[in-house]
Amino acid sequence: MPKMFDKSYVQEKVDVCVVGAGHAGCEAALACARLGLKTVIFTVSVDSIALMPCNPNIGGTSKGHLVREIDALGGEMGKNIDKTFIQSKMLNRSKGPAVHSLRAQADKAEYSREMRKVLENQENLTIKQAEICKILTEDYNCYSGEECIATKKITGVMTFTGAVYECKAVILCTGTYLKARCLCGEAITYTGPNGLQAADHLTESLESLGIEMRRFKTGTPARMDGNSIDYSKMEEQFGDEKVIPFSFSTDPEDVQIDQVSCWLTYTNEKTHDIIRSNLDRSPIYAGIIEGTGPRYCPSIEDKVVKFSDKERHQVFIEPEGIHTSEMYVGGMSSSLPEDVQLAMYRTVPGLEHCKIVRNAYAIEYDCINPKQLYPTLEFKDIKGLFSCGQFNGSSGYEEAAAQGLIAGINASLTIFGKQPVVIDRSQAYIGVLIDDLVTKENFEPYRMMTSRAEYRLLLRQDNADLRLRRIGYEVGLVSEEIYTKTLHKKKMIEEEINRLKNTVIGAAKENQEFLTAHGSALLKTGTNLAELMCRPELSYEKLAEIDPKRTPLPDDVIEQVEIEVKYEGYIERQMRQVEQYKKMEKKKIPADLDYNDISSLRLEARQKLIAYKPVSVGQASRISGVSPADISVLLIYLEHYHRV
Amino acid sequence: MKTDTIAAIATAMSDSGIGIIRVSGDQAFTVVDKIYRNKKNERVLTKYATHTIHYGFIVDINITEENETIIDEVMVTVMKAPRSYTTEDTVEINCHGGILMMRKILDTVIKSGARIAEPGEFTKRAFLNGRIDLSKAEAVMDIIHAGNEFALQSSVKQLKGSVSDKIRKLRENILYEIAYIESALDDPEHISLDGYHDRLSEKTESVSSELRALLHSADDGRMLREGINTVIVGKPNAGKSSILNLMVGEEKAIVTDIAGTTRDTLEEVISLGGITLNIVDTAGIRNTQDVVEKIGVERARKISADADLILYVVDSSLPLDENDRDIMRMIRDKNTIVLLNKSDLEEVVCEDEILKEIRNTCAALCEKVKIVKTSARMDSGMEEVMDLIREMFFHGKILYNDQVYITNMRHKEAIREALDSMNQVEKSLEMDMPEDFYSIDLMSAYASLGRIIGEEVGDDLVNEIFSKFCMGK
C-alpha cells in the first residue's frame, strides 16, 4: 500500500501549475511559460512526456485541421511532428479542399524526446516528476459588478510527498491516469497506459471540491515484433511524394525525407470465428468494464459483433519508430485475453507467425463532465482552475493539445487580468471542439470529425494561418515577424483575386481556341478570369496561357486564390450563415442569471439552462432541450434585464 | 435563400370586409415588390415614400411561365424603419377580407422570400428593438410561451399519419446518404466513394420528386387535418348518425375517411362550398354504469371541448331530462346549432322550451345557439343547417382554427426549403463538385424536414455514422 506524506510544506511559489505532461499538458505549460509566467509541469514520469500510448500518428481527418490551428495560434504540436515524422500523407486529396487532411506517422520515441527537449529549454518552465494528490483552494466571494458564480479560488497544489506549490492557476490534464485500470481479458492491472503508474489520489480531492466525475474507457491494439511479420502478404502503403509540413513555419524543403511504409492486410472469417467464440471472455461483453467506450474507435470485437455482415476488416500495420521493430496493428484494438489475442492476430495474412511485444488492452479512467467548464476551459465554480484533454472527456492527441493550448492561454490571460480568448465555431475546429464539449451531452470520449464543423468550408487546414494568426499574435504567442508575413500573404491573395475578377476575357480567337483545347464551352460574351476559373475543367494554372499579365506568386497564395474563387458561391453562403450565428453569440448572458425568474421558459429548458449556464444566447440555443421559442423568451428577458 | 423577414395575417381570420397582411424585416420591400404592381402594372413599390398608401394589385408570380395573374386588388402601406411597429421596414397589404383571399396573398408573400411569423413575433421584435415598454415584456413572453406550447402539441398531431411517415422515411434516406459521405470523408481508408456520384444522383431525384408530391398535397390542404372541427352530440338514439349520413350523403365530396378514429366516434371530412368540416359523430351521452359506454361518453366530452362547432341533436318527440342538461353544461359556450330532430313525429320539445332550459342550465350558451327543426328520416331541415353553418363562418362567428392553417403554411415552407436544398445538391452533382459539398445541402434538407415533424438534428448524424458504417482505427 502506498503511504502518503505526514506533513506538508510549501516548496515554491509559482504562477501556474500544470498537472500532466501529455499532449495537452505540454501545450498548456509552453503557452504559460512563453507568455512569461513561472510555470511547473508535473508528471508521474518524466520519461513519458508527450507520450503517444496509442496510434503512432499525428493528424488525420479533422485532426490535421486541429494541428494546423494549434500551429497558427503559436502552439508546438505541428513543429514537433515536422521534426519527427517518418511518413506523411494528405488524405482526401480527391475531395473538396475543406476535407483535405494531413496525417503523419511519428517516430514515437523521437516525438516524445523532441517535445521534452523543447520543454526543458523553455524559459520559465520547470519539469517536476511528482503525483499531484490535492488541489488547494480558498473560499471566494465575487466582488460587486463581477460576473461570477465561483465560490472557490485556486491557491496551489500538493504532491504525494507533501510539497505544496502555491500558484494562481492550475491546469488539469491528467489524461487517462486518474484511477486508471487496464484490462486484458480476465487480467486487470491498476496502471495508467503502457504500464505507467496511475494517479489514484487526485479524484477524491476534486470530488471534495464539488467537481462531478465520470468514468470513460478506451483501448489500444497490440504491438508486434516487426521481424515476425511477413510483409509480402500485405499491400505496401507509401507516403506522399511531396510532403507538406504541418507547421506554417516549417520550410517545406526540410520535410522532404526518406519515408517508411505502412502495410495493409485484412481480417477474415477465421479471425471473426475466434472472436465470436471467445466473446464471453471479453471484459466488455462480460460486463466487467463499466466505462463508456468510443464508438469511432471500436475494438475488433465490437466491429465483428456490430457489423456481422462484413466479411473482412482492414488492418493497418504501422511502424512505431525508426529505431524499433515494433509495429502498431491499426484496426484491431481488443480487450480479449492474451491467448485469444494471439490466436486471433495469427489468422491475419502476414501475421501467421507474429509475436506480440505488447498486448492489446482496454483502459478505464476518471474524467469530468465538461459542462462544468466555461468555453475558456475554466471551471465555473473554481476561479483559476482550468482543465483540458482526456480529462475533459475528449479523445486523441490533437484534441488534447488544442484544449491544452487554449487552457494555457486563458490561464495566463486571467492571471494578467485580461479578457480570455474564446474561439467560436465559425473560426476554428478548436472552437467547435470546445463548444461541443462544454455545451453538448457527450456519452463517450469526444473525437473531432469534419462533420461536426457546420462551417467547414471556411475552416480549412490550408487557411488556418489566415484564420488564427491574428489571435496568436494578440495573445503574444506569435511573433511580429510571423504575423506580418501572414498579413502580407492575405494581401497578395486579395489582390490576385481582384485582378482575376477584373481581367476581362473577350471572345477573341485565341481565347476560344484555349477553351476548345481544354474541353470547355466557348464564350458568347466577354467574361473575366475568375468566372473562367469556376469551370470544373479549368484551373489557375491552366489559365496562365491566356493570362500574360500574371506575376509569379508563392504556392500557398495560389492555393488560396484558387479555392476562394472556385468555391466562392458556397463560401459566401456559409459566411452569411456565420453572420446569423455571430449575432446570437454576441448576446451574452450574465453568469449569475436566475433562470427560475423566467416563468415563461418551459421546465425542461429551464433545467438545462441552469445545468449548463451558457455564456451566450448562441450557446444556449445549442443545448439540447432548449427550443427556439425558449430562446425568444430568453432574448426578451435579457432585453428586459439590461434595460432595468 | 430565406431572409429573416416575417409575414402574417394581422387581422382576424374571418370574413371581415378588409384583411391585412403584415410583412416586416429588412427585406420587406424587396419581398412585396416582387408581387405588387401599381395600376399601370409597374413594379414600383421600392420607390414609394415612407408612410404612404397606394392602390394596386397583388400578382401571383409564376417563375416558369412569365405571365402573372392578379390575385387581388389591394392598398399597400409602406413604412420605413424605424417608424413602424417593429421599427423595421414594414409593408401592410390591405386586401379584401375573406379567408381564402388572405391566405392566397400570404402564401404568395412567403413564396417570394418572407417566412411565417412565430406567435408573438411582431411584438417580440417591437420589444427587442426598443419600441414598446418594459411592462409588456411579461406579456410577450407569455404569448411566445403559449404559442410554442400550442405549436408543439398541435403541429405534429395535426399532421396526418401517412404524411409524417413519409417525411420520416425521406429523412432517413437523406441521413443515410449524409452519413455515407461523411464516414467516407472521415475515414477515407475504410470507406470509398467510388461510383457514388451516380447513386446519389438517382437518390436525389427520387427524394426531390417525393418532395414535390408532398408540396402539392400541402397546397391542396391534404397534409393536415384542416377544417372546422364539428362535433355531433346528443343523447342515444336522437338521430345523430342519420344526421351525419345525411350531411355526408348530400355532399358527395367525401375527401377522406380518417382511419384511427375510435370505435365509438366516426370522423368524416366534407366540403361545404369552400369550407371544410371535420365532422365527428360521438357516442350518445347519458349517465351510465356500463364501462365501455362510459369511456365513449368521456371521449365525447373531450372531443367536444376542442370543437369549433357543435351540432346538438335533440329528439323532439321526447321530453328533456337530466342527460340533456348534462350535455348543455358540457357544450358551455361553444358555437352550437341545436337540431330539433324527428320533427316528423309529435312535437314534445319546442324551440322555446329548449331555449328556456338552456337559459336555466347554462346562460352563456344562449348567445351562441341557433335552433333548426330537422327530420333525418324525411330529409328536411338539413339545407337550413348547412346555410346556417356557412353564414356563421362567413360572418366570423365560427373562428376558423387559424393555427392549423399557419402550421400548414410552415410545413409548406419547410418542404419548399428542403426542395431548394435538394435542387442545390443536383446542381452540385451536375457541376461535379467534390462530395463534401453535397452533404452540406443534404443536411439543410434534413433539418428543414425535421421541423415538420418537430425533430431537431442533434447528434443524428454522428449516431447514424457509427451505427451504419464501420469506422476504422
Side-chain angles (χ1 to χ4, degrees):
Chain A
M1 237 344 242
K3 186 185 169 302
M4 224 192 272
F5 65 90
D6 290 325
K7 207 171 156 228
S8 67
Y9 60 97
V10 176
Q11 166 96 18
E12 210 175 330
K13 282 187 184 176
V14 297
D15 293 312
V16 184
C17 289
V18 178
V19 184
H23 305 283
C26 288
E27 295 292 351
L30 285 172
C32 294
R34 284 170 177 166
L35 293 174
L37 294 171
K38 205 172 166 197
T39 308
V40 186
I41 184 166
F42 296 93
T43 167
V44 289
S45 159
V46 172
D47 299 317
S48 64
I49 288 174
L51 181 78
M52 302 172 77
C54 194
N55 56 318
N57 39 55
I58 297 283
T61 55
S62 76
K63 289 156 169 274
H65 291 65
L66 286 173
V67 181
R68 279 277 167 99
E69 292 175 356
I70 292 167
D71 187 71
L73 288 167
E76 197 60 30
M77 185 172 246
K79 293 191 181 100
N80 209 54
I81 184 64
D82 283 345
K83 284 187 264 182
T84 57
F85 79 98
I86 52 180
Q87 192 209 76
S88 178
K89 239 181 187 174
M90 184 66 85
L91 302 174
N92 279 335
R93 229 184 242 279
S94 65
K95 293 159 191 140
V99 293
H100 291 187
S101 280
L102 201 52
R103 186 190 61 198
Q105 301 299 131
D107 184 312
K108 281 185 170 181
E110 279 305 308
Y111 186 90
S112 182
R113 214 181 340 261
E114 279 299 326
M115 188 60 93
R116 180 170 165 186
K117 230 191 270 174
V118 174
L119 261 57
E120 284 169 349
N121 293 332
Q122 178 61 49
E123 207 184 330
N124 300 324
L125 183 58
T126 309
I127 300 169
K128 176 72 187 171
Q129 179 163 309
E131 181 189 344
I132 296 301
C133 55
K134 213 166 173 190
I135 302 299
L136 307 173
T137 62
E138 62 185 21
D139 286 346
Y140 182 76
N141 290 317
C142 307
Y143 55 85
S144 92
E146 182 185 26
E147 262 185 27
C148 155
I149 47 166
T151 57
K152 297 179 196 72
K153 180 176 183 266
I154 282 294
T155 57
V157 295
M158 190 191 288
T159 69
F160 190 70
T161 47
V164 168
Y165 288 77
E166 291 183 344
C167 64
K168 297 167 187 157
V170 171
I171 302 174
L172 294 172
C173 21
T174 55
T176 60
Y177 287 79
L178 286 191
K179 287 209 171 145
R181 179 169 92 139
C182 290
L183 302 99
C184 177
E186 297 93 350
I188 300 174
T189 52
Y190 290 86
T191 65
N194 246 337
L196 286 154
Q197 186 195 321
D200 288 331
H201 303 88
L202 191 58
T203 298
E204 204 183 312
S205 164
L206 296 173
E207 279 175 340
S208 74
L209 292 174
I211 295 171
E212 187 194 322
M213 306 296 294
R214 55 156 61 159
R215 214 150 163 79
F216 271 176
K217 174 226 137 187
T218 186
T220 193
R223 312 297 193 275
M224 301 289 172
D225 176 357
N227 298 322
S228 67
I229 297 174
D230 181 358
Y231 296 110
S232 69
K233 294 185 177 160
M234 303 182 178
E235 296 164 31
E236 191 165 6
Q237 309 270 302
F238 301 99
D240 283 347
E241 248 169 64
K242 185 168 180 243
V243 173
I244 296 166
F246 269 103
S247 173
F248 291 102
S249 322
T250 302
D251 184 343
E253 289 308 308
D254 293 347
V255 290
Q256 309 308 323
I257 58 162
D258 287 333
Q259 301 177 61
V260 297
S261 294
C262 296
W263 304 86
L264 172 62
T265 179
Y266 297 91
T267 62
N268 50 49
E269 271 313 316
K270 253 197 247 159
T271 327
H272 303 174
D273 284 343
I274 291 177
I275 292 168
R276 273 191 283 261
S277 54
N278 285 287
L279 273 182
D280 55 330
R281 295 181 66 198
S282 149
I284 297 166
Y285 286 91
I288 298 166
I289 287 189
E290 32 186 283
T292 316
R295 287 175 296 178
Y296 45 80
C297 137
S299 63
I300 186 71
E301 296 92 283
D302 271 348
K303 291 191 199 178
V304 169
V305 172
K306 272 177 64 188
F307 299 97
S308 54
D309 54 328
K310 272 198 101 172
E311 285 159 20
R312 60 178 200 175
H313 295 277
Q314 283 162 307
V315 179
F316 288 94
I317 306 291
E318 306 168 33
E320 293 255 304
I322 288 181
H323 304 290
T324 171
S325 67
E326 259 188 275
M327 300 296 280
Y328 174 90
V329 188
M332 284 186 88
S333 87
S334 172
S335 55
L336 286 164
E338 188 169 10
D339 57 316
V340 184
Q341 283 188 25
L342 190 62
M344 148 189 112
Y345 285 126
R346 286 191 168 171
T347 58
V348 175
L351 300 181
E352 293 88 347
H353 306 288
C354 72
K355 289 180 183 163
I356 296 179
V357 181
R358 304 179 208 217
N359 289 324
Y361 62 89
I363 183 168
E364 281 186 309
Y365 53 96
D366 284 352
C367 57
I368 59 158
N369 184 338
K371 74 176 179 205
Q372 301 168 82
L373 305 173
Y374 284 121
T376 59
L377 298 181
E378 185 175 13
F379 276 82
K380 289 170 186 165
D381 198 41
I382 306 171
K383 260 188 117 63
L385 184 61
F386 292 79
S387 72
C388 45
Q390 275 167 306
F391 179 78
N392 284 353
S394 67
S395 138
Y397 311 140
E398 304 80 0
E399 288 86 343
Q403 292 169 65
L405 178 62
I406 298 299
I409 288 174
N410 284 332
S412 307
L413 292 174
T414 308
I415 290 174
F416 295 136
K418 289 188 191 161
Q419 200 60 29
V421 167
V422 174
I423 294 175
D424 73 34
R425 302 181 72 90
S426 70
Q427 288 174 303
Y429 274 76
I430 297 181
V432 176
L433 163 71
I434 293 176
D435 186 65
D436 278 351
L437 281 173
V438 302
T439 312
K440 293 184 180 162
E441 214 50 91
N442 296 307
F443 301 102
E444 64 187 332
Y446 178 98
R447 177 192 182 271
M448 198 72 247
M449 297 166 84
T450 56
S451 54
R452 299 194 197 262
E454 56 274 61
Y455 311 118
R456 73 172 169 207
L457 279 186
L458 310 177
L459 310 184
R460 303 183 308 272
Q461 54 92 34
D462 58 71
N463 68 359
D465 55 340
L466 300 167
R467 290 185 276 127
L468 300 169
R469 276 291 197 216
R470 185 181 58 79
I471 297 175
Y473 171 70
E474 283 167 2
V475 165
L477 289 175
V478 169
S479 71
E480 178 93 43
E481 185 200 341
I482 286 177
Y483 182 52
T484 314
K485 257 192 211 162
T486 310
L487 287 181
H488 182 61
K489 177 176 167 186
K490 208 174 213 164
K491 199 169 150 233
M492 282 195 281
I493 296 164
E494 278 161 17
E495 284 174 357
E496 182 63 0
I497 292 176
N498 274 334
R499 191 188 67 83
L500 292 171
K501 283 188 175 170
N502 294 315
T503 305
V504 177
I505 298 293
K509 190 168 160 246
E510 64 269 26
N511 292 340
Q512 304 287 36
E513 277 170 7
F514 165 82
L515 291 171
T516 313
H518 288 90
S520 200
L522 296 183
L523 288 175
K524 290 193 185 91
T525 57
T527 182
N528 59 53
L529 282 172
E531 289 287 332
L532 283 180
M533 243 172 90
C534 290
R535 299 185 174 186
E537 63 280 2
L538 297 177
S539 66
Y540 186 83
E541 198 190 325
K542 286 179 185 162
L543 285 171
E545 233 180 292
I546 53 169
D547 181 17
K549 285 199 189 127
R550 183 181 289 191
T551 47
L553 290 168
D555 285 350
D556 57 343
V557 170
I558 293 174
E559 185 186 15
Q560 292 307 311
V561 169
E562 179 113 45
I563 293 169
E564 288 196 23
V565 170
K566 257 196 168 1
Y567 304 111
E568 189 182 22
Y570 292 87
I571 289 174
E572 268 179 5
R573 253 170 67 201
Q574 291 221 321
M575 302 236 285
R576 280 199 299 271
Q577 289 165 3
V578 167
E579 260 171 54
Q580 292 296 321
Y581 156 83
K582 291 253 192 199
K583 269 190 203 160
M584 288 293 143
E585 294 302 297
K586 275 191 206 136
K587 295 198 195 299
K588 298 293 174 208
I589 302 177
D592 50 1
L593 187 77
D594 183 2
Y595 291 98
N596 285 317
D597 235 28
I598 317 176
S599 57
S600 299
L601 283 175
R602 285 173 317 118
L603 185 64
E604 186 198 2
R606 205 180 311 158
Q607 286 166 345
K608 285 285 177 70
L609 290 166
I610 290 170
Y612 281 90
K613 298 187 186 71
V615 295
S616 66
V617 176
Q619 193 191 354
S621 70
R622 290 188 294 279
I623 297 172
S624 82
V626 178
S627 73
D630 294 319
I631 292 300
S632 291
V633 167
L634 191 57
L635 279 173
I636 290 172
Y637 184 85
L638 286 173
E639 176 68 19
H640 186 242
Y641 183 97
H642 289 310
R643 275 203 235 165
V644 181
Chain B
M1 166 111 185
K2 283 278 164 206
T3 62
D4 208 35
T5 292
I6 54 174
I9 296 174
T11 44
M13 272 276 219
S14 65
D15 211 51
S16 51
I18 282 190
I20 299 177
I21 286 111
R22 181 184 284 157
V23 188
S24 171
D26 13 328
Q27 300 292 313
F29 299 148
T30 342
V31 165
V32 181
D33 183 52
K34 286 187 204 159
I35 53 168
Y36 168 80
R37 303 289 175 267
N38 72 1
K39 63 183 171 198
K40 291 184 195 147
N41 201 24
E42 296 160 336
R43 236 178 112 160
V44 286
L45 186 104
T46 49
K47 293 187 188 111
Y48 289 153
T50 186
H51 290 78
T52 53
I53 186 159
H54 305 271
Y55 173 81
F57 305 93
I58 294 296
V59 294
D60 193 0
I61 37 164
N62 202 332
I63 300 156
T64 44
E65 302 153 37
E66 277 187 345
N67 49 352
E68 304 172 340
T69 49
I70 290 175
I71 297 177
D72 195 11
E73 160 181 56
V74 296
M75 301 286 287
V76 293
T77 314
V78 175
M79 284 162 278
K80 289 192 178 157
R83 291 173 56 210
S84 72
Y85 180 58
T86 55
T87 80
E88 300 169 333
D89 284 347
T90 300
V91 181
E92 286 181 359
I93 303 169
N94 299 254
C95 62
H96 289 105
I99 288 141
L100 297 177
M101 189 56 76
M102 289 193 285
R103 290 175 167 199
K104 185 100 211 245
I105 293 177
L106 180 60
D107 200 37
T108 314
V109 170
I110 300 300
K111 265 193 221 157
S112 43
R115 68 166 170 78
I116 286 270
E118 301 292 330
E121 198 170 6
F122 287 100
T123 313
K124 171 187 148 190
R125 288 186 174 203
F127 181 79
L128 288 181
N129 296 334
R131 175 75 167 68
I132 55 177
D133 67 69
L134 292 177
S135 61
K136 305 265 173 60
E138 201 70 36
V140 180
M141 285 194 277
D142 286 344
I143 295 171
I144 294 170
H145 179 69
N148 183 41
E149 291 287 290
F150 182 88
L152 284 180
Q153 286 167 19
S154 63
S155 75
V156 180
K157 210 165 68 186
Q158 287 161 0
L159 209 59
K160 285 185 187 167
S162 57
V163 174
S164 55
D165 286 349
K166 192 169 276 169
I167 287 174
R168 286 217 167 82
K169 195 91 213 135
L170 280 171
R171 282 186 99 220
E172 262 170 44
N173 280 333
I174 294 172
L175 186 64
Y176 180 87
E177 299 309 323
I178 308 171
Y180 187 83
I181 296 173
E182 291 301 318
S183 33
L185 295 175
D186 250 312
D187 198 357
E189 283 165 326
H190 283 85
I191 297 156
S192 152
L193 285 172
D194 292 346
Y196 179 69
H197 190 283
D198 295 342
R199 202 182 88 197
L200 182 64
S201 218
E202 258 171 53
K203 212 38 178 290
T204 309
E205 240 165 71
S206 91
V207 169
S208 294
S209 79
E210 289 204 42
L211 284 176
R212 274 189 288 271
L214 266 178
L215 199 54
H216 280 305
S217 66
D219 272 334
D220 302 348
R222 276 185 281 123
M223 260 176 76
L224 296 176
R225 300 162 198 271
E226 200 183 342
I228 299 169
N229 289 319
T230 310
V231 179
I232 306 180
V233 298
K235 286 189 293 189
N237 297 322
K240 297 181 297 297
S241 301
S242 323
I243 296 285
L244 175 69
N245 285 342
L246 273 181
M247 293 180 81
V248 172
E250 190 187 87
E251 279 294 328
K252 296 280 188 288
I254 301 172
V255 182
T256 45
D257 278 16
I258 292 177
T261 43
T262 47
R263 266 182 308 164
D264 48 0
T265 57
L266 184 65
E267 189 171 337
E268 299 279 357
V269 180
I270 66 164
S271 164
L272 208 64
I275 312 170
T276 309
L277 296 188
N278 292 324
I279 306 187
V280 185
D281 185 16
T282 64
I285 290 180
R286 64 170 166 186
N287 197 352
T288 174
Q289 296 307 315
D290 181 285
V291 181
V292 178
E293 200 180 338
K294 248 187 167 168
I295 296 172
V297 170
E298 229 0 86
R299 194 159 290 150
R301 282 182 198 284
K302 258 200 198 130
I303 293 170
S304 313
D306 287 337
D308 301 317
L309 173 67
I310 302 266
L311 300 181
Y312 173 19
V313 184
V314 175
D315 182 346
S316 64
S317 69
L318 293 172
L320 295 172
D321 59 18
E322 192 49 41
N323 288 324
D324 284 295
R325 283 184 279 276
D326 244 12
I327 293 173
M328 290 171 193
R329 278 189 288 266
M330 179 179 95
I331 300 169
R332 275 197 316 266
D333 55 349
K334 295 272 176 196
N335 288 302
T336 304
I337 301 176
V338 177
L339 280 68
L340 287 175
N341 198 29
K342 306 196 186 176
S343 61
D344 49 315
L345 299 180
E346 195 185 330
E347 185 183 70
V348 176
V349 183
C350 67
E351 235 174 275
D352 288 347
E353 195 175 343
I354 193 137
L355 269 175
K356 198 175 111 204
E357 196 59 60
I358 289 174
R359 198 167 300 122
N360 290 339
T361 315
C362 186
L365 188 57
C366 280
E367 316 212 334
K368 301 241 180 153
V369 79
K370 290 261 180 335
I371 300 170
V372 184
K373 283 187 185 173
T374 59
S375 164
R377 200 169 56 175
M378 309 297 286
D379 191 6
S380 77
M382 288 317 291
E383 201 47 50
E384 207 181 325
V385 173
M386 302 290 198
D387 285 344
L388 210 49
I389 296 176
R390 260 182 229 123
E391 188 190 317
M392 287 169 95
F393 179 72
F394 282 121
H395 286 96
K397 289 245 173 66
I398 310 173
L399 278 189
Y400 210 88
N401 185 352
D402 56 347
Q403 270 302 332
V404 178
Y405 166 68
I406 295 297
T407 308
N408 192 30
M409 286 284 276
R410 283 215 178 89
H411 290 345
K412 266 201 277 186
E413 205 181 325
I415 297 172
R416 255 185 231 136
E417 274 175 40
L419 195 54
D420 283 349
S421 300
M422 294 308 293
N423 288 340
Q424 190 62 44
V425 175
E426 272 170 51
K427 230 191 256 165
S428 301
L429 278 161
E430 270 165 32
M431 286 170 63
D432 216 4
M433 297 299 280
E435 293 85 349
D436 46 312
F437 287 85
Y438 311 154
S439 67
I440 296 173
D441 292 305
L442 286 170
M443 201 64 203
S444 311
Y446 181 75
S448 302
L449 290 178
R451 292 212 310 267
I452 300 176
I453 51 171
E455 281 174 19
E456 287 175 42
V457 173
D459 284 333
D460 292 0
L461 175 58
V462 174
N463 292 338
E464 177 85 357
I465 290 177
F466 293 135
S467 66
K468 298 272 168 69
F469 302 97
C470 186
M471 305 281 283
K473 258 219 344 193

